Amino acid sequence: TLQFRQLNLSFWIALKPTCLSTQFRRPGDYIIGGLFPFGMDTINLTARSEPTLVVCERLFVDGLIWALGMKFAIDQINNSTSLLPGVKLGYDIYDTCFEPLAALQPSLLFVTRNGTTGIGVACNYTSYQPRVTAVIGPHKSDLCLVTAKLFGFFSIPQVSYRASSEKLSNKELYPTFYRTVPSDKKLVEAVVLLLNKFGWNWIATIGSDDEYGRGAQEHFLRIVGNHSICVAYEGLIPTDTADPKAKVQLKETIELINKTKVNIIVLFAFIQPAQALLEQSIRMGLSKKVWIGTEAWLLSDIISSTSNIQSIGTVLGFIMKASTVPGFQEYVTDLFTSVQQDAFCQESRDFYNRMASGVLGTSCKQCDHISLHDISPILSRSQIQPVHVAVHSVAHALHRALGCTHQGCPKAAIKSWQLLHFMNTFAFTVNGQSFSFDESHGTNPGYKLIIWDWKNGTLTHLPVGDYEESLYVNKSQIHFHTADQKPTSECFRECKPGQIREIKGFHLCCYDCRDCPENTFCSSEDSSTCTPCLQHQWSPVRSTRCYDRSERYLFWNEPLTVALLTLTSITLCLTCLTAVLFFKNLETPVVQAAGGDRNLLALFALVLLCLSSCLYIGKPSNSLCTTQQIVYALCLNACFSTFFTKSLEISLLTEFPRWAPTFLPWVTQRRAWLVVALCLLTECLLCFCYLHLGPDHLVSDYKSLRTEVLLVCDTRSWLAFALMHGYNGCLAIVCFLCTFMVETPGKKYNVARGITFAFLTYFIIWIFFVAIFATLKTVLRSVTQIGTILMISLGILGTYYIPKCYIILLKPDLNTCVCKEHGNQDKTH
């Protein structure tokens, strides 16, 4: 038997030669050219450096049978008394070898001027008569894309019996190309419907690296995106299986398919690359899959006879609906009997020599060494109807172009381009079945869904459905390799609560599960987006709901608050004790030198300032936020205004002694109260501006804390804020400048030095306060404000009042000097 439909040379020599090779040329009134793949595996094509004839190494029996189908159709037409009575059709059939190079040479011969071997060059080819009236074939889309433009230039009708590339539907590029098979568009639609029918949405798709494979796969990828089908892997496999790189590429393809863990593989490829891929999958032990194929390889006995082919799993796919051609098998049987007879062979050689072109020789030398027994298994399965219909389409067009009747056809010189009109517009009947070319010059008989059914090692192509306008599948007849149930191939996995589906790749059906981040939640199991929580809500990572935020501020019962209140109490006690001590020693030199009764106002202001720290504890409000700043500014101003009068007094005595008699009364004794009152009045006016321009207000901060809403006081008008607190800062700077250069007499206490250190402490505390406050976004902002108030109060007490308390209590001898003149006051105290 023949293995893989290939006959080696030793077997051919063992057979008695026949004259089958001379059967593919016949003279006639109108010649129809034929392009068929008699051979395969071209010899040294890659090493070809000269334009020599391309030779094929092995016989492709399918191509031989298709060529015999053309011969049968023409002989049948010539014997008909109704289609072309009185007209004989001739034929000239050549081998394409599966290669564009091999197909181009006979194509050039077909367009030569009739009766010559030269191509006429003319401005107008309307009257040009080429060698052939029409061309049947070739079978591959790659070859048709090359030949169709050539024949289109000469307006020669070309009818292919297997080329299905969607590109060939372009009538602008290929105006004279026709085919008796549907385009890949219809086939791909059928495959996608089949995938949906079984719920397979996680697949791999592979195409042969030729026009058919690339075109079908490209169209397939465009369509599946609209049907929620995920392509886990897409790849091309080499068509030249003899290339050393081909094995590496096939191995990588199988490895990648294995990684995807898909159970469905859609294969758009011709016989050789498909066989190479399946053999590689068997060698590498790829687990059983569902292989969805097409007519390009499904019916091939080369593939079905591959060793251990049953281990690949389930094979099903679509083949074109085609009826059997009545009388063809009997015709082939008679022909093989005849080619062994010398008389028949001699007559055939005479016909052959009359058609000899002097350019191309025998198309199928290997055919002389094949017997009917060798092709019988293939003959019973091979689809001949597309070839048969292709020949009849030309014959019917010629019938109408000639104006034939049942009595006969007039003798007329019909040009090739004159057939096109009749091929485009008229339907024709073949064996009782009506055919016509649609707008894209193709026919659409529909598809059958078949499955490989193995019984006792014998393969049957079992029909299990069909596709025309819709897909019908008889699932009860389909038995998968997973005997108990249909295989599953889905890109779904259950996401946990709080997780969303994150799409992988380009299609909606395939996704990863991703946790919803903080402050979002997953509203439903099939959700693909996380729903944000409302502003007053929060949620943890991977949540299914949101929770209301709790309010956050400085609570009274917090340990940190208790510590601050304790420090406040200590500061208040120290301030009050200092005030009592100063009140009892109001007339002593130290108290008088420090400012006299104005110190009581300063200490009272410090008491209020310490008490104001309680305004920062508890739930804030708009009025509370406003009160905080006003109380802080007024208390600090009341304290600083007393230091202001004393600083001016010291500056006049030390730096401006000539002006002292004039201005000292305004900063000492009772008139100094006017300066203090003026300072307080100015601060009150600035506080009024603060209220008018925009006081601090309550703000809910939802960003700083994860689960809580932070209630903070926010500044509405920085101008008002700067005026109110900047005024106190100006007083502090003036006081500091008036006192920091005053020299201390030896072993004498200097009042100016206490003021200098008091305000130096104030400046340092404010620098730290601003730096810390600007970076904090929690309740520590309130803690910082309280700490600043207490630190300023303690700083003033520690640097100005405590040293004087020390003198009053522990150094009474320094508190006994009475000075009569202001000029001696600072020098003695």
Side-chain angles (χ1 to χ4, degrees), residues 394-411:
V394 175
H396 278 82
L398 188 60
H399 173 92
R400 293 189 176 93
L402 289 171
C404 296
T405 64
H406 291 292
Q407 285 74 30
C409 295
K411 299 290 184 179

Side-chain angles (χ1 to χ4, degrees), residues 292-307:
I292 298 178
T294 65
E295 190 172 353
W297 64 272
L298 270 180
L299 301 178
S300 170
D301 67 324
I302 295 178
I303 293 177
S304 61
S305 60
T306 300
S307 177

Side-chain angles (χ1 to χ4, degrees), residues 621-626 628-629 689-700 712-725 773 781 785:
S621 63
N622 285 325
S623 58
L624 199 62
C625 290
T626 304
Q628 288 174 358
Q629 298 300 324
C689 292
Y690 165 76
L691 292 172
H692 179 71
L693 293 175
D696 285 13
H697 64 290
L698 180 64
V699 172
S700 299
V712 293
C713 294
D714 189 50
T715 302
R716 182 175 293 164
S717 172
W718 284 102
L719 175 62
F721 182 89
L723 288 174
M724 186 171 61
H725 291 291
F773 189 82
R781 297 187 74 175
Q785 290 172 303

Side-chain angles (χ1 to χ4, degrees), residues 61 65 329 333 371-381:
V61 180
I65 295 175
Q329 293 195 33
T333 302
S371 67
L372 180 63
H373 173 75
D374 298 325
I375 68 170
S376 291
I378 305 166
L379 184 63
S380 61
R381 293 195 298 266

Side-chain angles (χ1 to χ4, degrees), residues 46-88:
T46 56
R48 183 173 179 266
S49 59
E50 298 178 358
T52 55
L53 184 66
V54 178
V55 180
C56 296
E57 189 174 30
R58 288 177 290 181
L59 179 67
F60 182 61
V61 180
D62 289 83
L64 170 62
I65 295 175
W66 296 334
L68 292 176
M70 176 177 171
K71 173 178 169 58
F72 168 70
I74 292 178
D75 287 348
Q76 191 180 52
I77 292 168
N78 287 336
N79 293 327
S80 170
T81 58
S82 58
L83 187 54
L84 290 174
V87 174
K88 290 296 182 182

Side-chain angles (χ1 to χ4, degrees), residues 234-302:
E234 58 178 278
L236 297 173
I237 53 176
T239 54
D240 185 6
T241 56
D243 189 344
K245 295 180 181 179
K247 292 184 179 180
V248 177
Q249 190 172 344
L250 290 170
K251 182 179 179 182
E252 290 176 352
T253 299
I254 298 300
E255 289 175 348
L256 290 170
I257 290 174
N258 198 36
K259 287 180 181 179
T260 62
K261 298 181 180 180
V262 298
N263 290 323
I264 311 299
I265 301 174
V266 180
L267 179 57
F268 300 104
F270 278 105
I271 296 171
Q272 287 175 293
Q275 179 192 9
L277 179 70
L278 295 173
E279 287 179 342
Q280 186 65 37
S281 68
I282 294 170
R283 281 194 296 268
M284 295 180 65
L286 185 68
S287 59
K288 290 186 176 182
K289 309 288 183 185
V290 175
W291 295 81
I292 298 178
T294 65
E295 190 172 353
W297 64 272
L298 270 180
L299 301 178
S300 170
D301 67 324
I302 295 178

